[in-house]
Amino acid sequence: MIVRGGRAIYGESVGILVLDTKFPRIPGDIGNATTFDFPVRYKVVAGAKPEQIVAAPDRARALLPAFIEAAKELEHDGVRAITTTCGFLTVVQDEIAEAVSVPVITSSLFLVPLLRRMLGPRRTIGVVTADAHSLSAGHLRAAGIDPGWRLIIKGMESRPSFGTILGTSTDPDHALDVDQVRREVEETCMAMQAEAPDLGAFLFECTNLQPYAAAVQAATGLPIFGIYHVVNLLHSAAMSPGFENGYL
């Protein structure tokens, strides 16, 4: 076997563009490498603060050159697919995807059209986002989501402990009360289920919510999709598994 070289590092299938944050990335969070069963490679986009990207779609576009440069660096480092830590980047999906030659999925929101097919058009999809006021029609449209679809969208922007993640906390230590955030996410999802009895699944737009998915599922009994599934999808596509150990 002959293997081509040319890089200093190998074995990282998915590259992740990371916003410029300071809050703790606990296991389950996309920014914690132990969340995945395979190596990933991170690239922080300097100056891309979550409170700015979430607050205004044009902020993502203003920082587009920085995102493209970081995506190109990830590709140069050898990753075979790219995603991001912020679902609000749907608005620059096309530009980042065109700038590199590997597959790119900027947001779990791109799963919504698939979920609609899975559940049928008469069931509601619950989208849990960092900030419902800032998740605009433009963000949804960029992800291929039709305004007439049955969606219920709830945000975490008013939850006090979640402010550490959103970037609105004034705590200089950026401390995260994990148990309280779990309760806040559970309460939000249970309220969505009560509001929409035909709810068929949750879609976590916010990439920081996966650590609390098991608790939400235990409370609601519903399937939960998010960026965790996007990363695993990209990895399994970029690194097709062998089946040498299978048997009949």
Side-chain angles (χ1 to χ4, degrees), residues 50 160 233:
L233 172 66

PDB file of all heavy atoms in Angstrom, residues 50 160 233:
ATOM      1  N   PRO A  50     -20.909  34.945  19.472  1.00  0.00           N
ATOM      2  CA  PRO A  50     -22.264  34.407  19.318  1.00  0.00           C
ATOM      3  C   PRO A  50     -23.356  35.449  19.472  1.00  0.00           C
ATOM      4  O   PRO A  50     -24.369  35.425  18.755  1.00  0.00           O
ATOM      5  CB  PRO A  50     -22.347  33.337  20.414  1.00  0.00           C
ATOM      6  CG  PRO A  50     -21.260  33.679  21.377  1.00  0.00           C
ATOM      7  CD  PRO A  50     -20.178  34.296  20.558  1.00  0.00           C
ATOM      8  N   PRO A 160     -32.175  32.463  32.238  1.00  0.00           N
ATOM      9  CA  PRO A 160     -31.007  33.131  32.838  1.00  0.00           C
ATOM     10  C   PRO A 160     -29.709  32.335  32.738  1.00  0.00           C
ATOM     11  O   PRO A 160     -28.660  32.903  32.406  1.00  0.00           O
ATOM     12  CB  PRO A 160     -31.427  33.339  34.297  1.00  0.00           C
ATOM     13  CG  PRO A 160     -32.575  32.407  34.525  1.00  0.00           C
ATOM     14  CD  PRO A 160     -33.265  32.273  33.210  1.00  0.00           C
ATOM     15  N   LEU A 233     -23.285  12.183  10.362  1.00  0.00           N
ATOM     16  CA  LEU A 233     -23.622  11.967   8.960  1.00  0.00           C
ATOM     17  C   LEU A 233     -22.434  12.301   8.059  1.00  0.00           C
ATOM     18  O   LEU A 233     -22.068  11.515   7.165  1.00  0.00           O
ATOM     19  CB  LEU A 233     -24.828  12.824   8.581  1.00  0.00           C
ATOM     20  CG  LEU A 233     -25.211  12.879   7.092  1.00  0.00           C
ATOM     21  CD1 LEU A 233     -25.694  11.511   6.625  1.00  0.00           C
ATOM     22  CD2 LEU A 233     -26.277  13.941   6.860  1.00  0.00           C
TER      23      LEU A 233
END
